[in-house]
Amino acid sequence: MLPIEAVYEKLVAQLQQHNTVLLQAPPGAGKSTWLPLNLVKNNYFKRIVMLEPRRLAARNIAQFLALQQNEVLGQSIGLKIRNEVAVSEHTRLEIVTEGVLTKMLQSDPELAGVDLLIFDEFHERSLAADTALAFALETQAAFRDDLKILVMSATLDSERYQAFLDCPVVASDGRSHPVSEVYHPLRDESKWLEAMPSLILNALQQQSGSALVFLPGKRDINFIYQSLEGNVTSDIQVVTLFGEQDKATQQAAIAPPKAGLRKVVLTTNVAETSLTIEGIRIVVDSGKRRAAQFNLKTGVTELVTVSISRSSAVQRAGRAGRIEPGVVYRLGSHEQFERRDRHDVPEILSSDIAGLVLEAKIWGSEVEQLPLLDVPSSGALQQAHQLLNMLEAVDKQGKVTELGRKMHQFGTEPRLAHMLLKAMELEQSKPGISHLACYLVALLECRVSASPELRVALQSQFEKPHKSFSQALKPWLKRLKINERSTLNCEYLSLLVALAFPDRLAKSRGQGFVLANGAGVNAHETHWLDCDYIAIASLGGHKGQRIFSATELNLLLLQESLPHLFVEKDICEFDEKSERFLHEQRVQLGTLVIESKPSTKALDVEARTQAWLNLVAKHGLALFNEYQQVQPLLNRMTLAQRFYPQEFEKLDEPTLLEGIDNWLAPYLVSVKKLAELKKLDLMSAVKGLLDWNQQQRLDEILPKRIQVPSGSSIKIEYPLHGPAKLSVRMQEVYGLLATPVLCNGKLPLLMELLSPAHRPLQLTQDLAHFWQTSYKEVQKEMKGRYPKHFWPDDPATAQATNKVKSRM
C-alpha cells in the first residue's frame, strides 16, 4: 500500500469542498502516479491536466500510467511535451510540461472540459510553473469557479504556500524505507569534483545494489564517467542520464540492470523528482547543481554551479529508499549541510523574465498584477521591457505589437523567435538569411563550437557537423520549410545576431567593449582586437564580462535593415573632466553613440536639469556635500517602512535614485555649476518626501536623539541591519531602570556604555540586568582609574551626572 492511499479520501473531500488544495507528500508516496490515475478511475473528475516540470519525468509517468491501463499512450492517458504529442478525444489524464499548460490557458482561458489542474513537484518553482499557476488562479477567479487546482510537492514550504493560496493542506507520509546518511567532509571545497570518483567507489564497495550519482551538468558527468572507466568491477555498468540525451539513451539509463549486474547512473537533477530507477538503493550526492543566474547589468543569464538547498538534498536522498532501505553519501560535512539554504531560489528571481513579461501582456495583464508567489524586482522588469522594445515585441507605450504576438505563438524564447521571424521576412531581399538563421539557432542550442568567431564555428559545423548539432538543426529547417544548401552565406551573420541580441551589440572602448545596454565587457584574448563594433551572441564568466562568441558588426547593414534600433537624440550631459555641459545631436544604438554633432538648440532649463539628474543617477546621493548628514535620515526612513509598511512608503536610496525625476528636479532649476549642485539642500529635499504627520511619526518611533537622566541629548545610530545603538557615558544613565524602547519594541536598542574618556566599557540590550550583575566588576576597575568620577554602589537608584564628583 502506497502512503498516498491513506490520505486519499481526505484529499478528495478537500477537493470537493475547496477550489485549491496543497498536498505535501515525500518521495515514493505515489502522488505523481497512483493519485491521478485513481482520481480518473473513480470518476471524480472528467478531465485532468497534470503539469510536470521535466520532460523525462512527464514521458515516463505517462507511459507508466498508460501501461497500468493496458493501453497505448494517447488513449485515456495522454502526453503533450515539446515535439511529442499523444492525446485523443478519449484522453482523461493529460501529462504536460515545457510551458504547454500556459499555451493552453492563453488559447482558452476558460479551459473548457478540464475540471482539475495538478501542479506536480511545484517546489522546483520553474518559471513556466509559476506562470501557469498565476494564469490558472486568474481563470479560476474570473471564469471557472468550478475549476479545481491541486498543488503537490515532496518538500513544500507549506506555511508560505498556504498563506499565498489561502487553502487547506493535506500531508501524506513518505516512503516506508529508511535512508541512512554518510557525510564525506572536504578539505578544499574547490576540489569537490576530483573527490567524487573515490566517494562513488567507496559507496559501491560498502553497499549492495545500484547507485544514482547526482552531478551538476553534462561536463561533470563526462569527467566522472571517464574517471570510473576501468576502475569499477566487471559486474558494474556505468551509464549517464541528462536532459539533452535522446529518448532511447534516457530509457536505457532508467531500465533495470541486467541479471547479475549493478548499475551506476550518473545524472543531473533531472532524476531528482518523479522518476523511479529500478534497483537504486545508493545515492551519491555532490550537493551541487547548475542554476541560472541573471546578470541584470549585462542582460546575460549564466549557468553557474551552486550548492543545492536542504530540501533538494532531501529529494535526492529519497531516491535511495523507493524500493528498500538505502543510504545517501553526501559530499561535504554535516555542518555544511545544515548551513545550506532551506529552499532553492526560484527561477522567477534568478532568470531573464522577458518571456514572462510578454506572456503577461498577451494574457492581458502586467507581471506586477499577476498572483505570483514571488514578484521580480523593478530592475528586472525594466530590463525586460527594454529588451522587448528592442525586439519589436512591444511598442514605446508597452503594448504588444503584431510581431510580438507572432513571436509568442512561435513557441520559443523571444530573442530567437524575433531572429527567425525577421529572417523569414528578409529572405527575399537577403537570400540565404533564413538558412543561416537555422544554423545559428542550432549552434546556440547545442553549444558545440570550434571557435569563438561565429563565422568559423558555423562554417565548421556546415562542413563537418557534430551529431548534437545535426539533431538541433533538423527541427528548425523543417519548421521553416528550408532545404539544406550547398553553401552557407555568412554575409548577414552580424545582422542575425543583432536581431536576437540587440542589447549585446558592442563598441570598442579602452581595453574592452561597451554594450548597447551600457555594460562594459572585457576584450577577447585573440579575436576582434581591431574591430570598432562587434555583435556578441554569448557572454558569461566573471560578472558576465567574458565574450564567448561574437562576430564583427556590419554597421551599415544594420542601419539599413533595422533602423528602429537607431535613435536620434538631443542630448545634454555634464562633462566632469571639463566641468562644462555637452549639448549634442546624437545618433545612438542603445547607449552607444554612433554619430554626434553640436546641437542647434539652445541650452534650456529642462535640458540642463536632466543633465544634473543623469549625473546624480550615475554617482548616487554621495555626490552631495550633505550626504553624511542625510544618511541617518535615509536609514530611519527605511526602517520606518520596514516596521510600519502601512504608514510609510519605501524610500531607501535605490528607490530614491529610481525616482529622482519626481522629487529632485524642482531643486535643480536654478543650479548652473557643479559646486552649486554639491551644496544643494539635500536634507530639505529628502524630508519633503514625508508629509508633516509622517515626519512627526518618524521622530516618535525612531527619534534622532534620546534625553538621558543626566539631561544630555544623545544621538542614536540607526544601521539598516541589527539593533540601533546609543553610545553614552555610564554616569549619564544612572537611575535609568530599563533600556529605552524604539518602534514599540520592534527595534532593539544596543547601549554602548562609555568611560569618562568616551572609551567603551560595556555593550548591553538589558540595562537593568547589567546594573545587577556585571556593573560591580566595572565599578571596581573604574574607581581606581577615574577616582574623580562618581561610581555608586547602586547605579539603578543613583543620581545621573555629566560632571565630576566635586561639581555635582
Side-chain angles (χ1 to χ4, degrees):
M1 177 176 172
L2 289 167
I4 196 68
E5 297 179 53
V7 298
Y8 179 63
E9 295 300 330
K10 179 181 179 182
L11 177 64
V12 169
Q14 291 287 15
L15 282 170
Q16 290 173 337
Q17 295 172 29
H18 303 273
N19 278 353
T20 306
V21 177
L22 290 178
L23 172 62
Q24 184 171 1
K31 64 183 182 301
S32 305
T33 51
W34 187 92
L35 174 61
L37 186 60
N38 278 272
L39 289 173
V40 168
K41 282 183 174 180
N42 297 326
N43 292 312
Y44 286 114
F45 300 97
K46 296 176 183 176
R47 189 177 178 95
I48 300 172
V49 174
M50 182 164 78
L51 178 67
E52 280 292 330
R54 301 183 185 280
R55 280 180 287 172
L56 178 60
R59 185 187 296 117
N60 279 278
I61 288 171
Q63 290 173 340
F64 173 78
L65 295 180
L67 190 63
Q68 296 295 301
Q69 295 281 74
N70 294 315
E71 299 173 351
V72 295
L73 191 60
Q75 294 185 9
S76 66
I77 308 299
L79 174 68
K80 193 181 288 183
I81 64 179
R82 184 182 178 185
N83 299 325
E84 192 174 345
V85 177
V87 293
S88 68
E89 59 182 8
H90 304 294
T91 300
R92 295 190 57 204
L93 171 60
E94 190 172 329
I95 318 296
V96 304
T97 188
E98 295 292 307
V100 171
L101 178 55
T102 306
K103 292 177 186 175
M104 292 172 66
L105 285 157
Q106 290 278 22
S107 60
D108 177 18
E110 294 188 21
L111 278 186
V114 177
D115 45 5
L116 174 65
L117 292 178
I118 300 177
F119 291 81
D120 194 17
E121 308 299 355
F122 188 72
H123 75 279
E124 292 195 12
R125 297 293 308 283
S126 70
L127 193 54
D130 272 5
T131 306
L133 179 60
F135 289 177
L137 290 171
E138 292 209 333
T139 285
Q140 192 183 60
F143 307 114
R144 292 281 311 279
D145 58 3
D146 62 327
L147 179 66
K148 304 294 184 178
I149 297 175
L150 175 61
V151 179
M152 308 194 304
S153 175
T155 53
L156 271 180
D157 192 355
S158 299
E159 291 183 7
R160 184 166 180 245
Y161 288 18
Q162 185 179 17
F164 170 68
L165 294 169
D166 189 23
C167 70
V169 176
V170 175
S172 166
D173 292 331
R175 50 181 164 71
S176 56
H177 304 293
V179 175
S180 57
E181 300 172 320
V182 178
Y183 290 89
H184 183 76
L186 283 172
R187 291 183 180 179
D188 184 352
E189 179 70 19
S190 67
K191 304 290 186 183
W192 68 268
L193 187 59
E194 290 87 340
M196 283 296 292
S198 60
L199 181 59
I200 296 167
L201 293 172
N202 286 342
L204 291 170
Q205 289 171 1
Q206 296 168 5
Q207 306 292 332
S208 61
S210 294
L212 186 62
V213 180
F214 284 101
L215 296 158
K218 179 180 174 181
R219 184 180 298 176
D220 310 301
I221 286 174
N222 290 337
F223 174 84
I224 299 298
Y225 185 88
Q226 292 169 8
S227 300
L228 293 179
E229 205 170 24
N231 291 315
V232 293
T233 55
S234 58
D235 64 328
I236 294 176
Q237 177 190 12
V238 182
V239 297
T240 63
L241 177 64
F242 49 89
E244 297 167 22
Q245 290 172 313
D246 60 75
K247 185 164 60 173
T249 305
Q250 289 179 337
Q251 294 303 318
I254 296 170
K258 294 178 181 178
L261 292 181
R262 301 167 70 189
K263 183 180 277 188
V264 175
V265 183
L266 307 178
T267 186
T268 62
N269 55 2
V270 68
E272 192 173 295
T273 55
S274 299
L275 193 65
T276 299
I277 301 176
E278 296 295 331
I280 297 295
R281 63 168 302 277
I282 309 166
V283 164
V284 184
D285 187 4
S286 67
K288 305 290 182 183
R289 70 183 178 102
R290 295 286 276 170
Q293 286 189 357
F294 184 61
N295 188 317
L296 196 58
K297 188 175 181 181
T298 58
V300 174
T301 299
E302 303 169 63
L303 282 175
V304 296
T305 300
V306 298
S307 295
I308 61 171
S309 65
R310 278 176 286 159
S311 63
S312 288
V314 171
Q315 285 281 94
R316 291 182 176 186
R319 304 295 102 185
R322 281 290 180 99
I323 310 299
E324 58 183 305
V327 59
V328 57
Y329 286 76
R330 291 198 174 109
L331 195 63
S333 66
H334 185 262
E335 290 74 22
Q336 287 175 317
F337 176 81
E338 291 297 329
R339 287 197 297 268
R340 288 180 187 167
D341 293 336
R342 209 175 147 203
H343 299 280
D344 293 326
V345 177
E347 280 189 4
I348 198 169
L349 299 180
S350 61
S351 300
D352 181 1
I353 58 166
L356 170 62
V357 171
L358 184 59
E359 283 282 5
K361 288 181 180 294
I362 295 291
W363 181 251
S365 179
E366 298 294 331
V367 171
E368 305 93 307
Q369 298 167 340
L370 292 174
L372 293 165
L373 190 61
D374 294 284
V375 180
S377 68
S378 58
L381 287 167
Q382 182 181 3
Q383 192 275 345
H385 279 93
Q386 289 172 347
L387 176 60
L388 290 174
N389 180 249
M390 295 182 83
L391 295 175
E392 305 174 276
V394 301
D395 59 22
K396 293 292 184 183
Q397 288 71 45
K399 294 182 179 178
V400 181
T401 63
E402 186 59 34
L403 179 58
R405 294 188 183 279
K406 289 180 181 178
M407 289 165 57
H408 175 260
Q409 292 169 0
F410 203 72
T412 188
E413 61 173 300
R415 290 181 183 273
L416 300 183
H418 182 250
M419 181 184 74
L420 291 165
L421 286 167
K422 291 292 285 188
M424 287 190 286
E425 282 182 21
L426 294 167
E427 180 64 32
Q428 189 170 356
S429 62
K430 296 173 174 55
I433 192 171
S434 296
H435 181 245
L436 181 64
C438 291
Y439 263 76
L440 180 55
V441 171
L443 186 72
L444 295 172
E445 286 187 339
C446 75
R447 298 173 192 164
V448 173
S449 178
S451 170
E453 170 53 58
L454 285 169
R455 289 173 183 267
V456 176
L458 287 170
Q459 197 63 45
S460 173
Q461 294 304 322
F462 181 76
E463 294 170 1
K464 191 177 180 181
H466 190 280
K467 181 183 177 182
S468 60
F469 177 85
S470 297
Q471 289 174 343
L473 176 65
K474 188 175 179 181
W476 290 114
L477 290 173
K478 182 179 178 181
R479 183 163 185 186
L480 272 63
K481 299 177 182 178
I482 296 173
N483 295 321
E484 267 287 18
R485 302 191 177 192
S486 58
T487 59
L488 189 67
N489 184 0
C490 291
E491 178 185 353
Y492 308 118
L493 182 55
S494 68
L495 177 58
L496 288 175
V497 176
L499 286 168
F501 307 102
D503 51 332
R504 298 183 201 168
L505 303 177
K507 182 180 181 180
S508 177
R509 182 187 68 178
Q511 299 301 309
F513 291 88
V514 59
L515 303 180
N517 64 15
V521 297
N522 301 324
H524 195 273
E525 300 89 344
T526 56
H527 289 74
W528 318 294
L529 300 177
D530 298 322
C531 295
D532 292 327
Y533 294 93
I534 61 173
I536 303 172
S538 181
L539 278 168
H542 182 60
K543 297 183 179 179
Q545 295 179 335
R546 182 182 172 190
I547 302 172
F548 290 143
S549 64
T551 193
E552 185 172 5
L553 177 62
N554 186 330
L555 198 60
L556 291 177
L557 179 63
L558 191 66
Q559 288 176 307
E560 171 200 314
S561 306
L562 303 178
H564 74 277
L565 290 179
F566 297 85
V567 179
E568 292 187 12
K569 290 184 177 181
D570 196 74
I571 296 292
C572 179
E573 289 181 351
F574 185 80
D575 183 57
E576 297 174 69
K577 290 183 179 178
S578 63
E579 293 201 0
R580 65 183 181 87
F581 289 98
L582 295 179
H583 196 198
E584 297 178 334
Q585 287 179 321
R586 294 178 180 173
V587 175
Q588 289 190 203
L589 172 58
T591 64
L592 304 180
V593 179
I594 307 302
E595 299 174 22
S596 66
K597 60 183 179 180
S599 176
T600 57
K601 297 179 181 179
L603 179 59
D604 57 16
V605 171
E606 185 178 347
R608 190 178 64 213
T609 299
Q610 190 59 51
W612 289 135
L613 290 171
N614 292 341
L615 189 67
V616 175
K618 176 182 176 182
H619 290 285
L621 299 183
L623 180 67
F624 297 101
N625 295 342
E626 280 192 1
Y627 179 70
Q628 293 301 325
Q629 290 74 42
V630 174
Q631 183 67 59
L633 173 61
L634 292 173
N635 285 7
R636 290 167 65 218
M637 289 162 65
T638 300
L639 291 170
Q641 193 276 333
R642 184 183 301 169
F643 294 118
Y644 299 92
Q646 285 76 34
E647 295 183 50
F648 295 90
E649 294 180 10
K650 190 175 182 180
L651 292 173
D652 58 6
E653 187 169 342
T655 305
L656 293 182
L657 288 172
E658 281 183 22
I660 53 173
D661 290 22
N662 300 321
W663 65 274
L664 189 59
Y667 292 85
L668 303 174
V669 173
S670 61
V671 176
K672 296 181 179 179
K673 296 181 179 179
L674 182 60
E676 294 175 9
L677 178 70
K678 291 183 176 181
K679 291 179 181 178
L680 189 90
D681 186 2
L682 183 62
M683 183 68 78
S684 295
V686 172
K687 267 189 175 180
L689 294 164
L690 302 177
D691 61 32
W692 188 85
N693 288 330
Q694 286 176 319
Q695 291 183 32
Q696 298 300 306
R697 178 67 168 151
L698 182 66
D699 288 339
E700 175 191 336
I701 59 175
L702 296 168
K704 290 180 286 187
R705 294 176 171 272
I706 283 182
Q707 187 168 356
V708 294
S710 68
S712 298
S713 180
I714 309 296
K715 182 177 71 174
I716 303 176
E717 296 177 30
Y718 288 101
L720 292 178
H721 303 284
K725 185 178 177 182
L726 180 72
S727 297
V728 58
R729 288 186 296 178
M730 190 177 292
Q731 283 86 359
E732 300 205 47
V733 291
Y734 291 157
L736 189 63
L737 299 179
T739 306
V741 173
L742 302 171
C743 285
N744 296 318
K746 295 179 181 179
L747 177 65
L749 177 65
L750 178 66
M751 296 189 69
E752 183 181 47
L753 303 178
L754 308 175
S755 72
H758 292 273
R759 291 187 174 87
L761 293 177
Q762 182 73 29
L763 290 170
T764 181
Q765 290 179 277
D766 187 346
L767 188 62
H769 181 72
F770 168 68
W771 289 148
Q772 295 169 7
T773 55
S774 306
Y775 171 75
K776 292 295 182 184
E777 293 298 319
V778 174
Q779 178 197 34
K780 183 178 180 181
E781 182 181 349
M782 289 299 104
K783 270 189 173 182
R785 185 174 296 181
Y786 299 101
K788 295 182 179 180
H789 290 78
F790 184 39
W791 303 102
D793 291 334
D794 186 6
T797 59
Q799 179 185 346
T801 180
N802 54 16
K803 301 181 177 66
V804 295
K805 286 190 291 186
S806 60
R807 296 185 179 180
M808 288 178 62

